[in-house]
Amino acid sequence: VQLQASGGGLVQAGGSLRLSCAASGSTFSSYAMGWYRQAPGKQRELVAAISSGRGTNYADSVKGRFTISRDNAKNTVYLQMNSLKPEDTAVYYCNYVYFRSSYHYTRPTNDYWGQGTQVTVSS
């Protein structure tokens, strides 16, 4: 099953972007999904995750600013990013996850990350 992330770009601090991740396959609705990001010189980190039942969890750094959602009819998961900060600059990836109610225990199900989409926030 392939995942294609899109929607990144260059935005000024305080601005907004909406990322999309389109999945192929007919069982998308059964899977939990997550958005990750990796900034230069840093480890990849989980930003937000959503379960098949639409439960969500978020990194503390994005709570109140980012919202993850899904449209199962379109096989797509979204990340609405508001009040963007320069420290949000990174390549953003989507992946399937083992969803746990605690952000700290949510893990990706595989190591295929695709190309991701670049988000750059200028100050």
Side-chain angles (χ1 to χ4, degrees), residues 31-42:
Y31 295 102
M33 301 295 299
W35 281 100
Y36 289 77
R37 67 185 180 188
Q38 187 168 21
K42 295 187 176 181

Side-chain angles (χ1 to χ4, degrees), residues 35-38 43-48 59 61-62 87 103:
W35 281 100
Y36 289 77
R37 67 185 180 188
Q38 187 168 21
Q43 289 189 332
R44 185 177 291 118
E45 64 173 351
L46 176 65
V47 175
S61 60
V62 306
E87 50 264 43
Y103 160 87

Side-chain angles (χ1 to χ4, degrees), residues 51-64:
S51 71
S52 59
R54 301 180 190 273
T56 59
N57 59 42
Y58 295 90
D60 287 343
S61 60
V62 306
K63 281 181 181 176

Side-chain angles (χ1 to χ4, degrees), residues 32 49 51 56-57 97-107:
S51 71
T56 59
N57 59 42
V97 299
Y98 295 115
F99 183 89
R100 299 291 183 268
S101 57
S102 169
Y103 160 87
H104 297 287
Y105 294 101
T106 297
R107 295 286 184 268

Side-chain angles (χ1 to χ4, degrees), residues 63-80:
K63 281 181 181 176
R65 299 189 299 122
F66 291 11
T67 302
I68 189 170
S69 62
R70 64 191 299 158
D71 185 338
N72 292 333
K74 296 182 179 180
N75 279 16
T76 301
V77 61
Y78 302 100
L79 186 67
Q80 178 66 44

